[in-house]
Amino acid sequence: MVGAGPAGSSTAHWCAAAGLDVLLLEKGEFPRDKICGDGLTPRAVAELVRMGVPTREEDGWIRNRGLRVHGGGRSYELDWPSLTTYPGYGMARTRMTLDHTLAQHAQASGAKLLQRTKVTGPVRDDDGRVVGVTAQSLDARGRAEGPVKELRAPVVVAADGVSSRFGLAVGRERRDDRPMGTAVRAYYRTPRHEDPFMESHLELWDGEPGKSALLPGYGWIFPLGDGTVNVGLGSVHSTPARQSKAGIDYRRLMETWLAKSAPEGWDLVHEPERGPIRGAALPMGYNRGPLYADGVLLAGDSAGMVSPFNGEGIAYGLQAGRVAAEAISQARHKSTDAAREATLGTYADRMREDLGGYYTLGRWFVRLIEHPEIMRLCVRYGLPRKVVMQFTLKLLSDCYEPQGGDWVDRVIAGLTRVVPSS
């Protein structure tokens, strides 16, 4: 596994639990930070439950009951939906500790973890199939030390994040017809660090509210239960080219948002010891592929598994690890190369079957909200109606019953099945 974020650690856990020999390679050293909103939807929590990850409050986990939505001069507190598929609560955990916890969980399942190990390229056989990686140890400052080693494996999982240098090295180019988001965040002290709701501000103005451009995105406040909250904002465009053309200074945008549209009642105080405002790209809607070919599976951000609706990526990285591990473990018991390759290919089929239609809806959603006039109509006529907001919560959070459920669940599930798959 190349990369020990949620996707890599999930794959490592499930493969090790199936009795496979697993080597998990991490360029950094835990605990290490990742730029993220730190919020976990019920869909992500369900994956943690499947993995058997302990989520006790005394270990730093905090539960939330839903989403507090602000926009159009109104506010709603929307509980997470009561479903048979997912738990009725979300959670929050900083990536500094979440990723470390998941890597340790993979180790406890039998995976071997090598930290401060940089993967430098693929190893191929005479037919061009990837049969391992080359890697080199790094010192405490991130500088290469020691010889480059060759590590062989029947299957390599690329879970090395947004840039996916390994994905690029094996010819998996980024698609330019998929949405790309950008998010920035910082940590703040607040007396409301145990608030039971995650907070979302759906009007993201580039300056004075009502007197500047209304951007396609939202701001958030996610309580962490440790005296702090994660505060940030994200914006999305239908293609990387449109994102680049927009030329948004996201750090300035966040400073402006907090100064001009400061969320009331939080008494936010920046935590300089936790770092400045930092940003990251969000690759969306399967923007890199194929998900499997020639001995390499892509999982998590390396495959662009971030939702175009809300910027959520952790849930899909965890899911991808579970599905990838099942394909890998089944393939190991096939008697021919052709059968093994066909079985590994089921990973891509299953991921697209489950998420392809939903990501297509997300692409269409992004194209709509890129138009300021449509955003204004949504804010003016959609936000004041609670039934619309309840529908929106299920759609944007990807928390609905795939089979049965209420009319909202059936509408969303039906739409994901009839649209073309990403």
Side-chain angles (χ1 to χ4, degrees):
M1 317 301 163
V2 182
S9 290
S10 173
T11 313
H13 158 74
W14 288 111
C15 283
L20 302 181
D21 292 331
V22 180
L23 183 59
L24 183 59
L25 306 176
E26 168 60 33
K27 182 180 178 181
E29 183 176 18
F30 291 113
R32 53 101 175 103
D33 195 18
K34 286 289 181 180
I35 300 165
C36 183
D38 299 335
L40 300 166
T41 63
R43 188 179 183 113
V45 175
E47 292 295 338
L48 295 175
V49 171
R50 288 189 181 98
M51 292 174 68
V53 176
T55 57
R56 298 169 298 189
E57 184 177 351
E58 56 266 33
D59 293 331
W61 299 87
I62 179 173
R63 294 188 181 188
N64 53 69
R65 56 179 284 191
L67 194 64
R68 183 183 297 113
V69 180
H70 298 275
R74 295 173 180 263
S75 299
Y76 289 111
E77 289 186 348
L78 304 171
D79 287 341
W80 293 116
S82 178
L83 305 171
T84 61
T85 314
Y86 307 117
Y89 63 91
M91 303 192 81
R93 188 78 185 268
T94 68
R95 291 292 296 275
M96 179 74 78
T97 57
L98 172 67
D99 289 17
H100 193 189
T101 296
L102 294 177
Q104 290 176 319
H105 190 71
Q107 283 182 287
S109 302
K112 181 179 180 181
L113 172 65
L114 290 182
Q115 302 180 65
R116 290 187 359 212
T117 302
K118 179 182 179 180
V119 173
T120 57
V123 176
R124 297 181 184 271
D125 64 14
D126 293 339
D127 296 322
R129 188 180 190 277
V130 175
V131 292
V133 303
T134 53
Q136 190 169 23
S137 297
L138 304 177
D139 65 17
R141 296 184 178 182
R143 298 175 301 191
E145 63 176 5
V148 174
K149 299 180 180 179
E150 189 174 284
L151 304 170
R152 290 188 168 251
V155 180
V156 176
V157 177
D160 52 339
V162 177
S163 60
S164 191
R165 294 180 183 275
F166 190 81
L168 287 172
V170 296
R172 311 294 171 85
E173 298 290 338
R174 187 183 71 185
R175 294 185 59 162
D176 290 330
D177 61 345
R178 292 291 187 264
M180 180 65 73
T182 301
V184 292
R185 65 95 171 105
Y187 294 99
Y188 293 78
R189 293 195 308 275
T190 176
R192 292 176 58 185
H193 62 98
E194 294 182 315
D195 193 286
F197 286 90
M198 297 199 295
E199 190 160 292
S200 179
H201 294 253
L202 301 186
E203 290 180 271
L204 186 59
W205 298 94
D206 186 16
E208 193 75 29
K211 300 179 182 179
S212 58
L214 185 59
L215 302 175
Y218 70 97
W220 69 75
I221 303 177
F222 293 166
L224 296 171
D226 62 354
T228 69
V229 288
N230 182 311
V231 180
L233 58 84
S235 183
V236 63
H237 293 85
S238 57
T239 65
R242 290 184 68 95
Q243 179 195 46
S244 179
K245 186 178 179 181
I248 299 172
D249 182 340
Y250 287 92
R251 289 172 179 81
R252 183 200 61 79
L253 178 62
M254 182 164 161
E255 292 169 350
T256 301
W257 177 62
L258 290 174
K260 302 290 186 180
S261 309
E264 296 180 358
W266 286 92
D267 299 325
L268 299 173
V269 179
H270 183 236
E271 284 266 271
E273 63 270 26
R274 298 279 292 273
I277 297 172
R278 299 181 63 200
L282 302 174
M284 298 175 167
Y286 289 143
N287 82 330
R288 198 188 302 273
L291 297 182
Y292 173 74
D294 301 323
V296 177
L297 292 91
L298 303 183
D301 285 0
S302 68
M305 291 183 179
V306 175
S307 167
F309 283 109
N310 65 1
E312 159 72 38
I314 295 174
Y316 307 112
L318 295 173
Q319 176 185 348
R322 173 170 54 84
V323 177
E326 184 169 340
I328 293 167
S329 58
Q330 292 294 333
R332 296 299 295 153
H333 294 280
K334 300 299 180 182
S335 58
T336 67
D337 290 344
R340 281 189 287 271
E341 288 299 297
T343 303
L344 291 169
T346 64
Y347 162 69
D349 296 337
R350 287 183 57 189
M351 292 302 296
R352 291 193 181 281
E353 180 180 357
D354 189 44
L355 298 175
Y358 180 72
Y359 283 169
T360 295
L361 291 177
R363 296 206 317 271
W364 295 351
F365 169 78
V366 171
R367 289 173 189 163
L368 286 174
I369 66 172
E370 276 185 317
H371 300 283
E373 61 274 15
I374 293 178
M375 280 291 292
R376 291 191 180 92
L377 288 173
C378 291
V379 168
R380 182 179 301 173
Y381 298 109
L383 294 179
R385 291 166 174 78
K386 191 167 185 178
V387 65
V388 174
M389 295 309 302
Q390 289 170 332
F391 178 92
T392 302
L393 176 66
K394 285 191 172 184
L395 177 64
L396 268 60
S397 66
D398 198 7
C399 290
Y400 62 91
E401 298 281 14
Q403 303 290 334
D406 62 17
W407 70 271
V408 173
D409 300 316
R410 293 193 294 273
V411 168
I412 297 174
L415 288 173
T416 64
R417 287 194 288 266
V418 300
V419 301
S421 179
S422 287

